[in-house]
């Protein structure tokens, strides 16, 4: 059992506490003491310890706690059981691996016991055959082909389009007005993803695809995991069907042309042995990559703007560097925006865009001294790691300097800071994503001063990927009085 005490309190609010009766329900669940039960007995003669935990309530297990009280629930598990525990939620028993050592054991996967098939239970029906769900040799083959889309020369080409689209869109945002950052940035990010990865705008299909992407992402944490009525699971399946129809209908034209967008590249990709992607694989990769390309960048961009609005001293420091840029953006120019880079890294620590990762054991294995049998769903929590006081000084504070040379708190353990995952499945588009976030915020810094009311804190909805439940309202003002931009 861990000797740590729970003092976790997120600097922003969780949607759970904003719900009617949410605080009272959390207090009841917090006081509840479930009996400790071993997940599985280690083999006879083994020096390994069993994983302790509890099943929670009948039928729903601890789904309510995990879904609505996320980080605090994780902290309670850590305080009670240590870095490895189990609970029953979302209709299945699962083991949770917390802290950098346990995270490294799972993501580095030295004994090849942890498989990507853990994602199948949550998002398999909605993102089947996406890169994140592939494993072993098949994953490496598909990743190697896709990697060509993210080499530095291609990133430089993408940046030109991101720069152009961001400037044009942000110039149209209102002045002297409150703007909801999340939906505004999400629309822009989806336009950018469609331009770069598909070679064109979505036009009339944009709203329909936006809804489909939202429904597929949120379906994975449905408590009722059957297509009943208009529930989350049913909406997710309908969303997948919409996305399939959209990409499949455009496949023949992409195969017949030789465009330089990712969609066309996947249609024409060929290995040294002459292997190509099937139509099904192209469609599945496009669905997953389009989701990943705009969802995580939207979350991070919105969160960065929110942090800079709440910390004007950092906003002004970052603005000074952006205003000093003379001429068009380039990868080298983005690299020179060191203050903005520090602010993005700190925001990714505070709001990890993918707060949990899933794996499944394909063989009996050891996890930091505990026995985990084959066929076990295992969850990792980047969000939890990013708040551990053993690693981060004053972890609840927005402190970009913690990533500056001379401190580098993230270097205390290679798996302490994992906003992009780790190991063989580390996010393939992380550099593209960070460049997009930098570009959007850079142009906002050059044209707007942005604020939030004193004492404002974002209400984060963590029922799937983190989303500001209130849309993140931010007041925009011209940088200079009389400015028309």
């Amino acid at each position: 059992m861990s000797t740590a005490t729970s003092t976790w309190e997120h600097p922003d609010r969780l949607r759970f506490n904003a719900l009617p009766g949410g605080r009272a329900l959390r207090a009841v669940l917090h006081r509840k003491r479930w009996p400790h039960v071993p997940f599985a007995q280690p083999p006879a003669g083994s020096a390994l310890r069993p994983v302790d935990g509890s099943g929670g309530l009948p039928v729903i297990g601890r789904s309510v706690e995990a879904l609505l009280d996320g980080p605090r629930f994780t902290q309670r598990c850590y305080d009670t059981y240590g870095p490895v525990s189990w609970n029953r939620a979302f209709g299945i028993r699962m083991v949770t691996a917390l802290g950098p050592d346990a995270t490294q054991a799972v993501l580095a996967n030295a004994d090849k016991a942890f498989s990507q098939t853990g994602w199948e239970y949550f998002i398999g029906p909605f993102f089947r055959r996406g890169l994140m769900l592939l494993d072993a040799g098949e994953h490496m083959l598909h990743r190697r082909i896709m990697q060509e889309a993210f080499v530095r020369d291609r990133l430089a080409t993408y940046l030109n389009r991101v720069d152009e689209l961001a400037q044009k869109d942000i110039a149209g945002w209102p002045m002297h007005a409150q703007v909801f950052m999340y939906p505004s940035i999400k629309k822009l990010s989806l336009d950018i993803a469609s331009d770069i990865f598909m070679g064109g705008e979505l036009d009339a299909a944009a709203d329909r695809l936006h809804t489909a992407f939202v429904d597929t992402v949120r379906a994975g944490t449905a408590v009722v995991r059957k297509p009943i009525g208009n529930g989350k699971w049913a909406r997710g399946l309908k969303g997948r069907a919409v996305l399939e129809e959209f990409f499949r209908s455009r496949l023949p034209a992409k195969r017949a042309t030789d465009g330089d967008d990712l969609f066309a590249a996947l249609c024409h990709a060929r290995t040294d042995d002459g292997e190509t992607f099937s139509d099904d694989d192209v469609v599945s990769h496009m669905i997953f990559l389009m989701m990943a390309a705009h969802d995580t960048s939207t979350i991070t961009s919105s969160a960065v703007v929110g942090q800079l609005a709440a910390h004007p001293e950092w906003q002004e420091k970052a603005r000074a560097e952006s205003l000093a840029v003379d001429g068009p953006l380039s990868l080298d120019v983005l690299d020179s925006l060191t203050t903005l880079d520090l602010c993005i890294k700190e925001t990714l620590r505070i709001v990890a865009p993918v707060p949990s990762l899933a794996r499944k054991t394909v063989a009996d294995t050891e996890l930091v001294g505990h026995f985990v049998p084959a066929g076990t769903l295992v969850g990792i929590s980047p969000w939890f790691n990013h708040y551990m006081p053993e690693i981060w000084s004053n972890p609840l504070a927005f402190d970009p300097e913690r990533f500056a040379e001379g401190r580098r708190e993230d270097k205390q353990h290679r798996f302490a800071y994992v906003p992009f995952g780790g190991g063989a499945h580390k996010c393939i588009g992380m550099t593209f994503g960070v460049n997009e976030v930098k570009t959007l915020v850079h142009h906002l810094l050059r044209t707007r001063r942005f604020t939030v009311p004193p004492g404002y804190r974002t209400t984060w909805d963590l029922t799937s990927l983190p989303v500001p439940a209130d849309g993140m309202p931010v007041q925009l003002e011209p940088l200079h009085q009389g400015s028309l931009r």
Side-chain angles (χ1 to χ4, degrees):
M1 179 182 292
S2 170
T3 57
T5 57
S6 177
T7 57
W8 199 95
E9 181 71 24
H10 193 271
D12 296 326
R13 296 179 297 169
L14 299 180
R15 188 182 180 92
F16 182 90
N17 293 321
L19 295 173
R23 290 185 179 276
L25 179 57
R26 182 168 78 87
V28 171
L29 293 173
H30 184 76
R31 289 195 299 269
K32 183 70 176 177
R33 295 293 180 261
W34 306 106
H36 297 189
V37 180
F39 184 82
Q41 290 298 334
S46 169
L48 298 178
R49 302 187 301 278
V51 176
D52 280 337
S54 59
L57 294 167
V59 182
I60 65 171
R62 306 189 75 176
S63 300
V64 173
E65 294 172 88
L67 191 62
L68 297 178
D69 205 19
R72 293 185 182 89
F73 168 66
T74 307
Q75 180 70 60
R76 291 199 297 274
C77 292
Y78 183 79
D79 292 346
T80 305
Y81 304 108
V84 184
S85 61
W86 77 271
N87 66 76
R88 183 164 54 86
F90 311 113
I92 194 171
R93 297 196 315 161
M94 65 186 77
V95 167
T96 302
L98 302 173
D101 290 338
T103 299
Q104 179 171 0
V106 176
L107 296 185
N109 196 18
D111 63 356
K112 308 302 180 188
F114 297 96
S115 164
Q116 288 293 114
T117 55
W119 284 114
E120 288 288 343
Y121 184 78
F122 289 104
I123 62 174
F126 319 107
F127 293 102
R128 57 181 177 273
R129 305 270 319 147
L131 185 64
M132 192 171 73
L133 281 74
L134 300 181
D135 227 343
E138 186 178 39
H139 166 256
M140 293 305 295
L141 171 64
H142 286 226
R143 187 182 178 97
R144 187 165 63 248
I145 294 172
M146 287 189 195
Q147 192 66 58
E148 291 300 312
F150 295 101
V151 296
R152 190 169 177 87
D153 286 349
R154 288 219 175 203
L155 290 174
T157 301
Y158 298 157
L159 177 59
N160 293 333
R161 289 296 294 148
V162 174
D163 190 20
E164 180 181 341
L165 291 167
Q167 286 194 71
K168 179 181 178 182
D169 196 82
I170 291 173
W173 290 5
M175 287 290 193
H176 307 291
Q178 187 181 80
V179 173
F180 290 94
M181 276 293 112
Y182 185 81
S184 299
I185 292 176
K186 190 170 181 65
K187 176 186 177 299
L188 173 55
S189 293
L190 188 57
D191 287 344
I192 289 170
S194 63
D195 184 277
I196 290 173
F197 292 154
M198 293 178 54
E201 296 182 1
L202 297 177
D203 298 325
D207 289 344
R208 184 166 55 99
L209 295 186
H210 172 268
T211 299
F213 278 122
V214 170
D215 287 343
T216 52
V217 168
R218 297 182 72 83
T221 54
V223 176
V224 179
R225 307 181 74 77
K226 293 183 181 299
I228 298 174
N230 194 39
K232 288 172 67 173
W233 197 264
R235 294 199 304 272
L237 293 176
K238 291 176 184 175
R240 168 75 191 203
V242 167
L243 297 172
E244 276 198 29
E245 186 279 329
F246 176 83
F247 288 109
R248 199 173 296 279
S249 68
R250 286 157 176 76
L251 254 174
K254 287 295 180 181
R255 287 206 183 276
T257 59
D258 190 23
D260 59 1
D261 57 277
L262 182 62
F263 197 176
L266 293 179
C267 287
H268 298 289
R270 186 179 299 271
T271 69
D272 294 339
D273 298 327
E275 293 182 89
T276 60
F277 284 144
S278 67
D279 286 359
D280 287 345
D281 278 340
V282 172
V283 169
S284 292
H285 284 319
M286 285 304 301
I287 290 173
F288 178 75
L289 289 172
M290 283 289 290
M291 178 278 294
H294 84 280
D295 253 357
T296 54
S297 60
T298 298
I299 293 164
T300 303
S301 298
S302 303
V304 171
V305 172
Q307 291 291 353
L308 292 179
H311 299 89
E313 70 281 9
W314 280 102
Q315 183 181 154
E316 294 304 324
K317 190 174 180 180
R319 177 174 289 113
E321 291 182 358
S322 285
L323 289 176
V325 171
D326 186 18
L329 279 183
S330 66
L331 295 180
D332 289 338
V333 169
L334 286 185
D335 290 343
S336 73
L337 301 177
T338 54
T339 296
L340 183 53
D341 189 60
L342 293 177
C343 292
I344 291 172
K345 287 178 178 176
E346 175 68 339
T347 301
L348 284 166
R349 182 190 69 83
I350 290 173
V351 183
V354 182
S356 59
L357 307 171
R359 298 292 188 270
K360 189 175 184 179
T361 55
V362 294
D364 291 354
T365 190
E366 177 263 346
L367 180 55
V368 290
H370 296 77
F371 172 68
V372 181
T376 300
L377 189 66
V378 179
I380 307 104
S381 177
W383 196 294
F384 179 85
N385 288 10
H386 292 179
Y387 282 91
M388 294 183 71
E390 299 93 327
I391 298 168
W392 310 97
S393 60
N394 194 11
L396 305 183
F398 179 73
D399 181 10
E401 287 288 350
R402 71 174 80 247
F403 289 93
E405 295 303 325
R407 281 182 66 182
R408 293 308 302 267
E409 293 181 2
D410 56 308
K411 292 296 185 181
Q412 295 182 71
H413 193 293
R414 60 181 291 221
F415 284 86
Y417 181 66
V418 283
F420 303 105
H425 286 269
K426 194 170 186 177
C427 177
I428 193 172
M430 62 181 184
T431 302
F432 169 79
V434 170
N435 287 346
E436 179 182 338
V437 172
K438 274 189 177 180
T439 302
L440 303 191
V441 180
H442 165 75
H443 286 301
L444 194 59
L445 286 166
R446 285 175 62 87
T447 59
R448 309 287 201 278
R449 182 165 280 107
F450 38 101
T451 59
V452 291
Y456 168 81
R457 293 189 299 173
T458 307
T459 300
W460 289 101
D461 182 342
L462 299 181
T463 51
S464 56
L465 299 182
V467 173
D470 58 0
M472 189 173 289
V474 172
Q475 182 73 21
L476 296 183
E477 299 292 343
L479 190 57
H480 303 291
Q481 290 298 321
S483 172
L484 297 178
R485 294 197 63 191

